[in-house]
Amino acid sequence: MRSFYEQLVSLQGVQKNLDPRCMRSFYPDPSLCFFPQYVLRFIKTPFFILNSVYDVFQFHHGLVPPSADRTGRWNRCKLNATACNPHQLDALQGFRRDMLGALMNFFKNSRTGGMFINSCFDHCQSALQETWFAIDSPRIHNKTIAEAVGDWYYGRKISKEIDCAYPCDTTCHNLIPTSVSIHQSPGCDCIRG
């Protein structure tokens, strides 16, 4: 995945649009500044991060791309998280930990940013009413994505929501049942800003 984005930066001449401070920090590999975990600290404009820690695009193409799973060991897990074995679930939780680790400085120190990081197996959650502001929309601390963005945008309160680890969130629209007993850590590690 990283080489794909390096080629994209080169092909499209994106480098001239990347943050110069970031590029100086990551010289001689300025293509790293195309990745949020590297450029995040250089962004001064207030912004809101909306993402899932189990983003299906990243899961299927970054964490376990087909080229890295030639035998298809991850196929069932990719289609249904309840079919994941303990090793696969540990890898998914590690993916979550890495993402949250990359966001922790922003979470703790940004005075102008907001975030809604849930545990749904999803991608592009802002595109549909069902995931944005419907009665049964995904929630963190009983707050929908639209409510979290509204609180942040209108300055009603700091809105930095991080969901508990899979499978504790029952509000997701990922069509992955949570009734199956799987290997998990006890308790919920929800974080609120």
Side-chain angles (χ1 to χ4, degrees), residues 1 60-61 64-71 78:
M1 185 64 89
H60 292 196
H61 301 285
V64 189
S67 62
D69 185 31
R70 297 197 189 278
T71 62
K78 283 181 170 182

Side-chain angles (χ1 to χ4, degrees), residues 7 20-21 30 41 47 49 51-52 73 90 101 154 159 175 182 192:
Q7 293 170 10
R21 295 164 299 151
R41 67 181 173 187
F47 64 97
I49 302 171
N51 214 75
S52 169
R73 285 190 191 132
D90 286 345
Y154 292 108
S159 186
L175 305 178
I182 62 170
R192 171 173 260 152

Side-chain angles (χ1 to χ4, degrees), residues 87-165:
H87 170 74
Q88 292 166 328
L89 288 170
D90 286 345
L92 285 171
Q93 300 306 8
F95 189 64
R96 175 183 184 271
R97 278 189 302 277
D98 288 348
M99 181 180 174
L100 294 180
L103 293 173
M104 214 34 62
N105 186 47
F106 175 82
F107 177 80
K108 290 178 180 177
N109 298 315
S110 175
R111 303 264 185 257
T112 60
M115 62 194 317
F116 190 96
I117 309 297
N118 68 15
S119 296
C120 301
F121 284 81
D122 205 337
H123 183 70
C124 293
Q125 296 179 85
S126 62
L128 301 172
Q129 178 73 13
E130 292 82 24
T131 56
W132 185 254
F133 195 56
I135 291 172
D136 64 344
S137 291
R139 296 171 183 272
I140 302 175
H141 305 111
N142 202 31
K143 188 184 290 190
T144 65
I145 295 168
E147 291 168 326
V149 171
D151 285 347
W152 168 78
Y153 184 81
Y154 292 108
R156 293 188 287 248
K157 57 182 162 178
I158 294 175
S159 186
K160 294 181 184 172
E161 307 292 340
I162 298 178
D163 208 354
C164 50

